[in-house]
Amino acid sequence: MATTFTRMDESTAEQWAVIGAETMRNQPRVADEVLAMLERLEDITDGFATNQLVHALQTATLAERAGADEEMIVASLCHDIGKLISVFGHPDIAAAILRPYVRDDVYQAIKAHQDFQGRHYYHHFGGDVNARDQYEDASWYPLAAQFADEWDQVAFDPDGPCEPLSHFEPMVRRVFEAPRN
């Protein structure tokens, strides 16, 4: 192990170069962890007709079949990954995981997906079904609407189209290979 600092305010550029190189060498663990998290979604049903892994796989399958690009397909797969930690905070958690690896419109669509989904069910408990309208001037609004309306909200069908996780693994590995910036 390289000699390194014990306080950041005593670090050197050379030490940070070692840390940067180590970080990039270990980057494959990000995809490994994302895939493991996706597998753990199989244990979460929370009253839906499918577990959250099937839901994620169906959402990604629909995105792929609709011609979405690889970043959006992977984001569709990962959009509910935050439910492992908090159902109520899941859009922010998923978006934070994706943010370094996807372009901004994909990040924003996932971050706001709950408000876009609200059109389909918020009325059941007095929520604002037009919550998505706050984003109507955003450049990513059409992508978020397509995601919510055509792929996400219809992906709870036990008999629906569903590619296996192994189908998406190469895409996950490419998207999480390195940060975009």
Side-chain angles (χ1 to χ4, degrees), residues 39-57:
E39 288 173 351
R40 288 178 38 219
L41 288 175
E42 188 170 23
D43 297 332
I44 300 174
T45 304
D46 291 344
F48 289 99
T50 65
N51 65 52
Q52 290 297 299
L53 175 58
V54 169
H55 170 62
L57 293 168

Side-chain angles (χ1 to χ4, degrees), residues 63-134:
E64 182 178 39
R65 290 182 181 179
D69 64 39
E70 193 165 84
E71 286 184 12
M72 193 62 214
I73 294 166
V74 170
S76 296
L77 181 66
C78 295
H79 77 281
D80 281 345
I81 205 166
K83 288 183 177 181
L84 289 168
I85 297 165
S86 168
V87 171
F88 300 104
H90 81 273
D92 292 322
I93 296 165
I97 291 168
L98 289 162
R99 187 173 201 168
Y101 305 99
V102 299
R103 66 187 182 279
D104 189 62
D105 63 330
V106 173
Y107 161 77
Q108 295 292 347
I110 299 306
K111 189 172 185 336
H113 84 267
Q114 195 72 50
D115 285 337
F116 280 77
Q117 287 290 63
R119 169 137 320 149
H120 305 288
Y121 73 94
Y122 277 4
H123 64 281
H124 294 301
F125 40 85
D128 180 6
V129 296
N130 297 311
R132 67 171 66 183
D133 292 353
Q134 65 187 304

Side-chain angles (χ1 to χ4, degrees), residues 1-2 4 17 23 25 41-42 50 58 107 113 122 126 136 147 150 164 172:
M1 176 176 276
T4 190
T23 298
R25 185 171 25 262
L41 288 175
E42 188 170 23
T50 65
Q58 279 187 13
Y107 161 77
H113 84 267
Y122 277 4
E136 66 187 346
F147 169 78
E150 297 176 22
V172 169

